[in-house]
Amino acid sequence: MKESGRKQGALSPCAACKLLRRRCAEDCVFAPYFPPDEPHKFASVHKVFGASNVNKMLQELPEHQRRDAVSSMVYEANARVRDPVYGCVGAISSLQQQIHSLQTQLAAAQAEVVHMRMRQFSSSSNTGGAMDMAVDQANMGESLWSC
Amino acid sequence: MKESGRKQGALSPCAACKLLRRRCAEDCVFAPYFPPDEPHKFASVHKVFGASNVNKMLQELPEHQRRDAVSSMVYEANARVRDPVYGCVGAISSLQQQIHSLQTQLAAAQAEVVHMRMRQFSSSSNTGGAMDMAVDQANMGESLWSC
């Protein structure tokens, strides 16, 4: 079946209408976001969400939010195609683990700073200049906790 | 319309068959994961992915992976219902920002440790005991970089 162009003079229907083998109307809701030269984008969202759901979700959004919605749906659909069990929830879980590991490393580094300050303070008390060191530590504390 | 039970003696069809108003067969692919007392779970995945896509995705997976797949689909669907523009890609983006912020804080804390070590070393060189301090620093280094 030969598809007609999206508008007069346009050469191809959008990737969505091409895949769905339907006429690409001038006001096609998919056309602005699924150009004919990127067929894989629509193929993924169609496989995962279904064309009718994508259509419905786009119709329910104001036009200025549709591009972002399409990008996030394409991202989510690609993740689900790559990993049919966890989809992009797998990425969320791995990012949460990374956050946990960074929080542990940060706590260790901060504990090390506190430990060194105490050593520094006690050694400066023994060798004199304790007051200068205390002022110094207050400054360092400010830079540490403000980060 | 009254629905028949999933199996002989069962009181209710699963949440999916109830919503789709169809007979819940004994080998229903949805029944193990969408119990009748949690109707919202199926309602979300149906709204976002469509029942037929969920069915297809489950059929393509071995049984031992289906529970995890359903959990991740429910999570994803709920995120998309809450945030129709970004869905769970919004969560990914916010976790990535959190990682960036933790990496910055960690780099600052580690730089502070290095800075303090250098001060400690130079002050101990001036007051004696430089050798002891260097050994001390080597030990601290080990504990910092091993975290």
Side-chain angles (χ1 to χ4, degrees), chain B residues 69-90:
Chain B
V70 166
S71 297
S72 71
M73 277 189 271
V74 170
Y75 182 97
E76 231 173 295
N78 285 338
R80 178 67 57 185
V81 169
R82 270 198 311 273
D83 179 353
V85 181
Y86 296 102
C88 73
V89 179

Side-chain angles (χ1 to χ4, degrees), chain A residues 103-136:
Chain A
Q103 282 170 333
T104 308
Q105 288 177 69
L106 180 60
Q110 287 175 336
E112 186 106 24
V113 170
V114 170
H115 175 76
M116 287 179 76
R117 268 190 211 145
M118 289 173 72
R119 288 182 66 92
Q120 205 170 12
F121 185 79
S122 73
S123 93
S124 70
S125 300
N126 295 340
T127 57
M131 198 57 196
D132 287 352
M133 198 58 88
V135 171
D136 229 7

Side-chain angles (χ1 to χ4, degrees), chain B residues 95-137:
Chain B
L95 290 171
Q96 280 170 336
Q97 279 169 27
Q98 211 178 324
I99 285 174
H100 184 255
S101 153
L102 281 166
Q103 283 170 332
T104 308
Q105 289 178 65
L106 180 60
Q110 288 176 336
E112 185 107 24
V113 170
V114 170
H115 175 76
M116 287 179 77
R117 268 190 212 148
M118 289 172 73
R119 288 182 66 91
Q120 204 171 14
F121 185 77
S122 75
S123 95
S124 71
S125 300
N126 294 340
T127 57
M131 200 54 199
D132 288 353
M133 196 59 87
V135 170
D136 229 8
Q137 280 164 10

Side-chain angles (χ1 to χ4, degrees), chain B residues 17-33:
Chain B
C17 292
K18 202 166 177 181
L19 191 88
L20 301 171
R21 298 182 170 275
R22 63 177 208 177
R23 195 183 144 268
C24 193
E26 202 168 337
D27 60 349
C28 170
V29 72
F30 297 126
Y33 318 109

